[in-house]
Amino acid sequence: MSLAQPEGGNLTAKRWSGVIAALGAGIGAGLLGPSLHGHAWFTSGAVIPYGAALALLLVAAVSIFVALWSKKSWNAVWCGAAAYATAGLLSLQLGSFGLIFDNTQGRIWLYGIAVIAPLTGWLAWLILRGHRRRD
């Protein structure tokens, strides 16, 4: 019995390490997002939620990074799903605790993650597909 790994290494370990990294990065982005999403400019009658846009940009950047690092576009979706689940837990109003409120910024942050996750997976797929064609 040989303990040597095949030339490509253990594929299941590589696959799981990418998924675990994506979930960890998504939880991190989901925890950092509430510190950003509440920032907004209040003009005469209008709210410009720039913090929610920055929080979504954070999730998108982390998702794309994890997908390109692991060379698997699905990891971007796993990252977004973990961020969405984390933000969902933080939006629960349990007694006096709740970090994400039902206002413009909170809605953009929560529903935006659901839009960003598949879009970053698609974008990562396009980037990785183009990279594989050049190789």
Side-chain angles (χ1 to χ4, degrees):
M1 181 168 126
S2 173
L3 296 177
Q5 296 291 327
E7 188 173 310
N10 189 347
L11 292 179
T12 57
K14 284 184 181 180
R15 182 174 295 136
W16 280 108
S17 67
V19 171
I20 290 169
L23 293 175
I27 290 170
L31 289 171
L32 289 174
S35 65
L36 286 173
H37 90 278
H39 292 78
W41 285 313
F42 296 96
T43 61
S44 57
V47 177
I48 302 170
Y50 72 92
L54 290 175
L56 291 174
L57 181 63
L58 171 73
V59 171
V62 168
S63 297
I64 292 290
F65 175 78
V66 169
L68 296 180
W69 169 77
S70 65
K71 296 183 176 82
K72 300 287 182 202
S73 59
W74 268 101
N75 286 341
V77 179
W78 285 116
C79 184
Y84 187 73
T86 303
L89 287 173
L90 293 176
S91 71
L92 295 175
Q93 303 298 319
L94 303 173
S96 63
F97 180 78
L99 293 178
I100 302 170
F101 300 108
D102 186 23
N103 57 12
T104 303
Q105 299 95 307
R107 282 187 227 116
I108 289 173
W109 167 232
L110 282 177
Y111 299 128
I113 299 172
V115 173
I116 290 293
L119 286 178
T120 55
W122 175 71
L123 181 61
W125 177 77
L126 287 176
I127 293 169
L128 290 170
R129 184 182 71 161
H131 183 67
R132 287 182 192 126
R133 282 186 183 171
R134 283 186 259 135
D135 288 343

